[in-house]
Amino acid sequence: MIFDVVDKLNTLEEMPFRYPVYQEEPWKSRGIRQIFAGSYCGFYFVKENIVKIIRILYGGMDLNNALNETKFDDFD
């Protein structure tokens, strides 16, 4: 369920770099990380020791397309 990914995202206060960087550009070069739980995927980045959650998406979606619709400037 979506709550599983939310629970995992809530644990990022400790060791926020433990999940991998998303391997598609331009998100890879921005350090966007992904976390999977069940059928859902959360995307986040770490800036100045602060975790910023960007999106939580259903894993069956076109993740690249959904991330393309995200305004990253809002998260800087």
Side-chain angles (χ1 to χ4, degrees), residues 10-29:
N10 284 329
T11 70
L12 292 174
E13 197 170 313
E14 295 179 21
M15 295 177 38
F17 297 103
R18 68 179 173 255
Y19 294 103
V21 172
Y22 188 59
Q23 292 299 302
E24 300 293 327
E25 289 294 351
W27 310 287
K28 180 179 178 180
S29 61

Side-chain angles (χ1 to χ4, degrees), residues 30 45 52 69-76:
R30 290 181 172 204
F45 68 97
K52 298 190 177 193
E69 296 172 357
T70 303
K71 295 182 180 179
F72 288 95
D73 295 338
D74 295 341
F75 301 99
D76 291 334

Side-chain angles (χ1 to χ4, degrees), residues 42-56:
F43 292 91
Y44 70 97
F45 68 97
V46 182
K47 183 175 182 180
E48 299 174 6
N49 293 322
I50 298 173
V51 175
K52 298 190 177 193
I53 299 168
I54 298 169
R55 300 284 304 260
I56 298 173

